Amino acid sequence: MEITEESAVALAGAIRAGSLSSREVVEAHIAVLERVNPSLNAVVVERYDAARRDADEVDARLAADGPDALPPLAGVPVTVKESLAVAGMPNTAGVVARKHIRPAAHAPVVQRVLDAGAIVLGLTNTSEGCMWIESNNRVYGRTNNAYDRRRSAGGSSGGEGAVIGSGGSPIGIATDTLGSIRIPAFCNGVFGHRPSTGLLPVTGSWPPPYGVARMCANGPLARRAQDLMPLLEIMAGPDGVDPLVRELPLQDPASTSLTGVRVTLVEDAFLPGTGREMLRARDRAAAALEDAGAKVEHVTMTSLRQIGLFTTIVLAEETGISFAEIMRGEGAHPLSLPELVAPRGKHTAPMRSLVIGEVLEKLLPKPLVRRLATAAHTAADEVTAIIGDGLLLHPTMPAVAPRHGASTGQPWRTNAVAPFSLAGLPVTQAPLGLGSAGLPLGVQIVGGMGNDYLTIAAALELERAFGGWAPPRGN
């Protein structure tokens, strides 16, 4: 297997054993990025020369002190979503008014991965303000899909999805509020994990989580499923700032049996437009888990059809702070009439749509808004009860990665990911090979609170059954 197809765990082991140098590993990934990034626009802030120096330091330390002196990810490349703080590097989250921002300290999840020895190759693109499912902004431009440059890489962590899907990085660190890890992982054919709320601190991410920290999560993307749990173990635990984070036990997914595990498929939960190919992929995944000993059950839950739409209302209602106000706090003025109508202004179409939506939402009667928010929470509680100690398989999007711009103004495209964010549940996005259009298929594996190991165990099984990440042709 090529260096740029291996897992981070395997690369770390090879570096420690001396069969590969860190410099070789870093150079191999930089070579991929220099070849594909001009057309992908996934890495938007690179530090290739600094990464080479870091790799040389790892190799020198190994020669001087031996393998036992190295931390677990020593010499392994990683990329980081630009909206997560990396000291001294840009942290705009795609917002023009934040172009001057340079954090003084790393986000805790970034610091912990660096302390484990990983080497940052660069920062990756996001949607403006991390608030849409296509990664495009007026600071860095648009990111393209790793398999088809005419299509979206997803969002808001589309840069991470595209760079890992192209083979340019084995692992990445990103954020997920309404599918921002899962959708890019799906679109680019890699693994992504939204952790249980309270497992990883969200400190150091922008926009700040305010009152929806339960919905917000930092988490990993990876081209190989075996990297997900080691990354969670490295990043997990209290940081003294995020009030929701606590010590949670993490079990080993590799030694977890799926025998007797209940796997639920929810029927009648999809809005019109959900493609048969997505549902067939889900059903194939269920059959593979059943072959591994799981017990598949079918239930009906029609309330899932609307919960994604209601979740946006929850975001606005429970924070008490509109995104227009957040943007104004950064020096932006998205509510001005010229900005709302100017297609080439400082704000993208999704951001303008979001702000207009906030204005319209304020016109709704308050009792109705409260009822809709309550309905969303009730549905999230129902999902949690249905899953219990088992798993739920659910499509990630209505269809394969959409063409650029096709998702703008269509909030229902997050309908399949939103319920699990609202419930704060762990979700692993697993690739299921390529579909009829040569684009990745995949499925969300949802578990009960704290059962991250079980969703990852199922992802490992699906990787064995379907092959996992398939490198794009022609990269």
Side-chain angles (χ1 to χ4, degrees):
M1 192 179 289
E2 298 289 333
I3 289 175
T4 54
E5 296 180 7
E6 292 278 9
S7 69
V9 168
L11 292 172
I15 292 169
R16 194 180 311 278
S19 57
L20 286 174
S21 68
S22 175
R23 182 63 180 259
E24 287 178 292
V25 173
V26 166
E27 287 286 9
H29 288 87
I30 290 175
V32 171
L33 292 175
E34 289 181 333
R35 184 170 69 252
V36 304
N37 200 58
S39 62
L40 283 183
N41 192 35
V43 173
V44 290
V45 184
E46 55 92 355
R47 60 180 306 275
Y48 300 156
D49 288 340
R52 292 180 174 109
R53 291 192 295 271
D54 292 343
D56 289 342
E57 290 179 7
V58 171
D59 293 333
R61 184 178 177 187
L62 176 63
D65 301 330
D68 292 342
L70 297 182
L73 292 179
V76 175
V78 64
T79 41
V80 181
K81 185 177 182 178
E82 197 262 14
S83 64
L84 280 164
V86 178
M89 298 186 74
N91 185 219
T92 69
V95 176
V96 171
R98 289 179 55 85
K99 288 178 71 172
H100 64 288
I101 298 294
R102 298 293 185 276
H106 301 308
V109 291
V110 174
Q111 183 67 64
R112 291 168 182 178
V113 171
L114 296 184
D115 290 344
I119 295 171
V120 175
L121 295 178
L123 309 183
T124 55
N125 205 20
T126 178
S127 57
E128 183 181 7
C130 300
M131 288 304 291
W132 194 239
I133 58 173
E134 173 151 14
S135 293
N136 182 31
N137 59 71
R138 296 291 190 255
V139 180
Y140 302 116
R142 185 176 67 191
T143 296
N144 298 319
N145 188 282
Y147 291 80
D148 185 341
R149 305 303 193 259
R150 298 167 298 177
R151 293 180 180 265
S152 171
S156 61
S157 311
E160 277 305 316
V163 74
I164 295 172
S166 69
S169 178
I171 52 175
I173 314 171
T175 67
D176 188 310
T177 297
L178 288 176
S180 290
I181 285 174
R182 290 162 282 163
I183 290 173
F186 165 77
C187 288
N188 295 279
V190 299
F191 293 90
H193 186 76
R194 184 223 182 272
S196 296
T197 292
L199 182 60
L200 271 59
V202 297
T203 311
S205 61
W206 198 93
Y210 293 112
V212 291
R214 179 180 174 84
M215 294 178 62
C216 299
N218 293 334
L221 290 89
R223 62 185 173 217
R224 301 297 178 194
Q226 76 171 128
D227 289 332
L228 296 175
M229 184 54 75
L231 284 167
L232 290 183
E233 291 173 337
I234 287 167
M235 294 189 286
D239 68 337
V241 179
D242 188 330
L244 294 184
V245 180
R246 59 200 186 280
E247 295 287 354
L248 292 173
L250 290 171
Q251 301 181 45
D252 179 14
S255 62
T256 297
S257 172
L258 296 177
T259 300
V261 172
R262 179 167 43 82
V263 175
T264 301
L265 307 183
V266 181
E267 309 299 350
D268 300 321
F270 310 105
L271 291 171
T274 299
R276 293 181 180 177
E277 192 171 34
M278 298 299 103
L279 295 175
R280 286 197 298 265
R282 179 203 63 173
D283 292 345
R284 288 197 303 272
L289 297 183
E290 193 168 36
D291 288 343
K295 297 180 179 180
V296 176
E297 297 181 359
H298 297 259
V299 302
T300 296
M301 186 180 172
T302 56
S303 60
L304 280 184
R305 293 177 185 174
Q306 291 84 29
I307 189 173
L309 301 174
F310 297 168
T311 301
T312 59
I313 292 175
V314 175
L315 275 169
E317 180 71 7
E318 295 189 356
T319 61
I321 301 175
S322 72
F323 210 82
E325 291 168 338
I326 294 173
M327 296 290 281
R328 274 199 297 270
E330 298 297 320
H333 301 284
L335 277 176
S336 64
L337 183 60
E339 282 292 344
L340 288 178
V341 300
R344 300 187 181 279
K346 293 181 180 179
H347 300 289
T348 57
M351 178 58 70
R352 296 198 302 272
S353 298
L354 173 65
V355 172
I356 292 171
E358 288 181 339
V359 173
L360 296 176
E361 188 177 296
K362 290 179 181 178
L363 301 178
L364 295 175
K366 279 296 181 183
L368 173 61
V369 170
R370 286 193 291 269
R371 284 200 302 273
L372 294 177
T374 298
H377 281 296
T378 299
D381 291 342
E382 186 178 348
V383 168
T384 302
I386 286 173
I387 294 170
D389 290 330
L391 297 170
L392 182 148
L393 298 186
H394 207 63
T396 311
M397 293 189 75
V400 293
R403 292 186 179 273
H404 288 300
S407 65
T408 300
Q410 298 181 4
W412 55 86
R413 287 188 182 253
T414 65
N415 204 60
V417 294
F420 316 120
S421 296
L422 188 57
L425 299 176
V427 190
T428 303
Q429 168 64 44
L432 300 174
L434 304 182
S436 57
L439 292 165
L441 302 173
V443 70
Q444 293 180 97
I445 311 165
V446 192
M449 184 65 73
N451 286 349
D452 299 67
Y453 78 97
L454 189 57
T455 69
I456 295 173
L460 288 166
E461 183 60 39
L462 294 182
E463 186 176 34
R464 284 189 285 269
F466 297 95
W469 170 67
R473 296 178 180 177
N475 265 2

